[in-house]
Amino acid sequence: MLDTLLFVLVVAPFIAALGLYFFRANAIRVLIVLVAGVLLAGASLSLFSYAPFAVAPGLLGIEFSPLVTVLDFLLLFLFLGIGIRKRHALITTFASTQLVLLAILEIFLVKHGHESPLFVGDSLSMLMVAVVSIVGSVIVIHALPYMKNHEEHQHLQESRQPQFFAVLVLFLGAMNGLVLTNNFLHFYFFFELTTLCSYLLIRHDKTDIAITNATRALWMNCLGGVALLLAITWIYLDLGTLDMQEIIREAPQTALFLVPCGLLCLAGFTKAAQLPFQSWLLGAMVAPTPTSALLHSSTMVKAGVYLILRFAPAFMGTFFSDAVAIAGAFTFLAAGALAIGQSNGKKILAYSTVSNLGLIIACAGINTPAAVAAAMFLIMFHAVSKALMFLCVGTIEQRIASRDIEDMRGLYATMPLTAIIAVLGSLTMILPPFGMLLGKWMAIESAANNVIIVVMLAVGSAITVMYWARWAGIFMSYPIGERIEVEKQAFLTRVPLLGLLTGAFVLSFAAPWIYTDLILPSINQLSSVFPMATYVTPFDTTGGILANAKGVFPTVPLFLVCIGGGLLAIMSFKRAKKQRAVGPYLSGVQIPDDNTAYRGPLRNAIHPTAANYYLERLFGESTLTGWVNGAAIMLILLMIGGGL
């Protein structure tokens, strides 16, 4: 049964992708997407009952290593062809370098026939599989009506949906393979396959700007591929194995071994779009919104943080680990500051993603059991809430033809349900009792011994509240006294939005039990392998309250308070609707029949407007980007040099 579940999670998406590409009827596409989504979600949940597990080199009697090797070379030749065709020196150089390194590894160095488990599942990989398979499937399902509207707006002569959905589903299979595989070269294949998927999705509309940004994403992630393959080669020469679990257990914390660890983290930084590599993820915003949602929540960028978090025990307790934490904390702070200066909704979400991924990487660098617990919470809650917000923005954009949050002012009057979902989604990112704040609290607590990191995390968290609260306020403004009717939406648009919102609430409510049943076993396993990782003060979850010697996060009691407050707010709102609406005083001679205007010079009616102040002179991209990128480069050099 375990082999069957792994086949569904890793191999079946490749088969579904072929079906989506070749069977182009809309009804068949919808059927394949829905069946694939249900199977992936069900298989990911069923897999929890088998963890921890290790599967022999074959799967269902099939030996995949030779096939993966062939596909790996084909993938790199494809990158090389793209670089030559586009006359792009960086893509050509990086692809050629990887081809040479891979050929040396496969032909001269690796001793094939050494058997190690093909797939390994622990709490971290189970969590990642659930995020990819459930959140990713919801995004793909939401894309069905979205892409129909998208192409109608573009007036295409021939639909590109077959290839679009084929790549989306392929992406999910690649990510599941990446987080489950135990063979380092297989990991590299899936790592680079996600690079190809992102390139194809970003360039989907085939506009000049889409092609330019897809090319940037390709060369930056190919740089990460070079760093990853160099690290694999170095580690194999040092330890003589491609077994990832064995590498982590046997890693010698010597200066020479920390150099490949630095290369692994560099690969993770490029994939996770950490400063100074954030431009490829920002450029990906030109793609259809389901692409952005998938890249930001459950696939591409999560591959980067997974890589760093997976190998964090190998450099636990070193100066290098502290340098990783500082680099991540700096990105958390700097990307949050850049988000303040944005009015483009998708850019705010993009910088927010880069920022929160920096927080997860900071947890990996802090490298204590408490920090790992915080990172796992953040991965889960960020995926759900960020996917929800991207899908909300995509739905809104198709209605109002704008991504500018100022154009979303008064959205409640025309899209009340979507506005409420978006507001609640925003609040799950910043307020108790929701999981994102719990994760941030745990992260700050785990960094208590490093004042620099604590300050950066605390200030970054305050900045996060600023831009999310500003946006939530815009959603809920609407003209006084007007009758509000719920907007009409496609079933496959509304259900994913409501499903993700429900997931954010339920998972946050269940956080104490998720900690006990999923995260704590992972921490205990870590402590048994790495003695210095002993979890001195695990949380007590009695009564739905996360508590230890350092603090308390009363999850369930806070939920009960929020439910009571919500009911009180609804009752107050209903009473207010019965009262006569009175407009605001507008500092002039009010016009009796129009409470939105006053008489100005020459008795003209003046309608005042409200807008946010974005502090662009302080937080604008032109002001900050050069400085923070320069600082990030210095921190990365410090990180890699820390191994020496």
Side-chain angles (χ1 to χ4, degrees):
M1 183 61 181
L2 177 58
D3 277 11
T4 303
L5 291 176
L6 293 171
F7 186 88
V8 169
L9 289 166
V10 180
V11 181
F14 288 70
I15 299 172
L18 291 174
L20 286 165
Y21 186 80
F22 288 108
F23 299 103
R24 301 193 162 222
N26 185 65
I28 296 178
R29 180 184 311 121
V30 173
L31 178 63
I32 293 176
V33 167
L34 292 177
V35 170
V38 171
L39 288 176
L40 285 172
S44 68
L45 294 175
S46 300
L47 203 61
F48 278 97
S49 61
Y50 292 91
F53 63 81
V55 175
L59 183 63
L60 293 177
I62 303 171
E63 176 57 55
F64 284 102
S65 291
L67 177 60
V68 170
T69 300
V70 172
L71 292 176
D72 225 344
F73 278 106
L74 289 176
L75 191 60
L76 292 178
F77 275 117
L78 178 59
F79 290 162
L80 180 61
I82 293 172
I84 293 172
R85 188 176 70 252
K86 292 183 174 295
R87 298 181 181 178
H88 197 288
L90 289 175
I91 296 175
T92 303
T93 301
F94 295 150
S96 301
T97 303
Q98 290 179 78
L99 275 168
V100 172
L101 285 172
L102 186 62
I104 292 172
L105 263 174
E106 291 285 2
I107 299 172
F108 300 106
L109 297 180
V110 175
K111 296 179 181 179
H112 295 285
H114 172 70
E115 294 192 355
S116 60
L118 177 63
F119 293 117
V120 170
D122 57 12
S123 294
L124 176 59
S125 54
M126 292 298 93
L127 172 64
M128 290 295 299
V129 167
V131 165
V132 172
S133 299
I134 298 175
V135 178
S137 294
V138 170
I139 293 169
V140 177
I141 290 170
H142 182 275
L144 289 167
Y146 179 93
M147 291 306 295
K148 180 177 180 294
N149 295 332
H150 182 75
E151 292 197 341
E152 286 176 356
H153 176 72
Q154 290 186 312
H155 305 293
L156 294 181
Q157 296 295 322
E158 181 180 356
S159 175
R160 300 194 193 112
Q161 290 188 58
Q163 50 265 47
F164 181 79
F165 282 95
V167 177
L168 285 182
V169 174
L170 177 64
F171 215 150
L172 301 184
M175 275 299 299
N176 280 334
L178 183 146
V179 300
L180 287 169
T181 188
N182 186 51
N183 184 300
F184 219 162
L185 277 177
H186 291 191
F187 180 93
Y188 167 74
F189 165 69
F190 290 120
F191 193 84
E192 289 299 83
L193 186 56
T194 63
T195 296
L196 175 63
C197 290
S198 67
Y199 169 76
L200 295 174
L201 290 172
I202 295 168
R203 75 184 294 273
H204 172 76
D205 285 338
K206 296 185 178 179
T207 60
D208 290 342
I209 189 172
I211 293 172
T212 298
N213 285 303
T215 303
R216 181 191 299 121
L218 181 58
W219 79 254
M220 283 194 175
N221 283 285
C222 280
L223 170 62
V226 171
L228 177 59
L229 198 51
L230 280 171
I232 293 172
T233 305
W234 191 312
I235 290 171
Y236 186 82
L237 289 172
D238 198 358
L239 299 180
T241 181
L242 294 172
D243 185 320
M244 293 170 64
Q245 296 295 317
E246 185 178 344
I247 290 169
I248 295 169
R249 288 193 302 269
E250 303 299 327
Q253 290 187 341
T254 61
L256 284 179
F257 190 82
L258 289 177
V259 174
C261 288
L263 292 170
L264 289 177
C265 288
L266 177 60
F269 272 49
T270 58
K271 189 69 74 172
Q274 295 295 278
L275 299 179
F277 306 110
Q278 76 279 12
S279 61
W280 80 256
L281 193 61
L282 294 168
M285 296 300 98
V286 303
T289 299
T291 296
S292 305
L294 202 64
L295 293 177
H296 285 251
S297 64
S298 59
T299 56
M300 187 77 162
V301 295
K302 288 297 192 299
V305 297
Y306 171 79
L307 172 61
I308 297 172
L309 197 60
R310 170 60 71 195
F311 281 91
F315 50 81
M316 184 181 294
T318 64
F319 172 77
F320 172 80
S321 189
D322 293 335
V324 171
I326 292 172
F330 176 76
T331 292
F332 175 60
L333 172 62
L338 283 162
I340 291 177
Q342 303 301 315
S343 63
N344 182 309
K346 288 185 75 172
K347 268 200 170 184
I348 294 173
L349 293 176
Y351 277 121
S352 170
T353 296
V354 174
S355 176
N356 282 289
L357 294 174
L359 177 59
I360 298 171
I361 290 173
C363 291
I366 294 167
N367 223 343
T368 63
V372 172
M376 293 178 69
F377 266 131
L378 289 167
I379 286 173
M380 176 174 60
F381 292 119
H382 176 262
V384 176
S385 294
K386 190 53 62 71
L388 173 61
M389 291 307 300
F390 264 108
L391 297 189
C392 282
V393 169
T395 303
I396 294 165
E397 181 186 5
Q398 288 196 330
R399 178 68 176 268
I400 68 173
S402 175
R403 298 173 180 174
D404 195 308
I405 65 174
E406 292 298 332
D407 295 331
M408 299 177 191
R409 193 175 297 277
L411 184 71
Y412 181 75
T414 55
M415 302 181 72
L417 181 61
T418 305
I420 291 173
I421 292 173
V423 168
L424 293 175
S426 301
L427 297 183
T428 64
M429 297 292 295
I430 56 174
L431 291 182
F434 299 109
M436 281 300 294
L437 186 67
L438 169 62
K440 290 174 184 176
W441 171 67
M442 292 174 68
I444 293 173
E445 179 188 275
S446 66
N449 294 329
N450 193 316
V451 176
I452 296 174
I453 296 175
V454 168
V455 170
M456 285 196 287
L457 296 188
V459 175
S461 297
I463 287 174
T464 300
V465 173
M466 181 176 178
Y467 60 78
W468 280 117
R470 176 180 65 193
W471 198 356
I474 287 176
F475 279 130
M476 291 307 292
S477 59
Y478 74 100
I480 298 172
E482 290 193 6
R483 181 179 176 82
I484 306 299
E485 295 184 0
V486 176
E487 70 273 25
K488 295 181 180 180
Q489 285 178 331
F491 179 77
L492 294 181
T493 297
R494 180 163 295 177
V495 170
L497 295 179
L498 291 173
L500 287 171
L501 180 63
T502 302
F505 275 71
V506 171
L507 290 173
S508 294
F509 182 84
W513 296 278
I514 293 173
Y515 172 82
T516 301
D517 296 334
L518 177 66
I519 294 178
L520 190 57
S522 178
I523 301 304
N524 290 336
Q525 182 184 10
L526 184 69
S527 300
S528 66
V529 178
F530 302 96
M532 67 168 44
T534 303
Y535 204 166
V536 179
T537 55
F539 286 96
D540 177 17
T541 58
T542 305
I545 300 173
L546 283 158
N548 64 10
K550 295 183 179 180
V552 175
F553 197 95
T555 304
V556 174
L558 282 173
F559 257 102
L560 297 176
V561 171
C562 287
I563 291 171
L567 294 174
L568 181 62
I570 292 172
M571 294 170 57
S572 301
F573 180 72
K574 288 184 175 180
R575 286 197 301 268
K577 289 175 67 176
K578 299 177 182 178
Q579 305 298 319
R580 183 175 66 88
V582 178
Y585 176 62
L586 300 177
S587 301
V589 180
Q590 207 104 351
I591 297 178
D593 299 330
D594 187 354
N595 59 25
T596 67
Y598 67 92
R599 296 201 182 279
L602 303 177
R603 300 182 62 80
N604 291 324
I606 297 178
H607 293 266
T609 59
N612 284 292
Y613 186 39
Y614 292 92
L615 303 170
E616 292 184 355
R617 290 187 178 182
L618 291 175
F619 301 109
E621 287 179 305
S622 59
T623 303
L624 280 185
T625 300
W627 291 102
V628 299
N629 281 351
I633 291 171
M634 295 299 295
L635 289 174
I636 289 175
L637 293 175
L638 173 66
M639 178 185 75
I640 297 176
L644 301 175

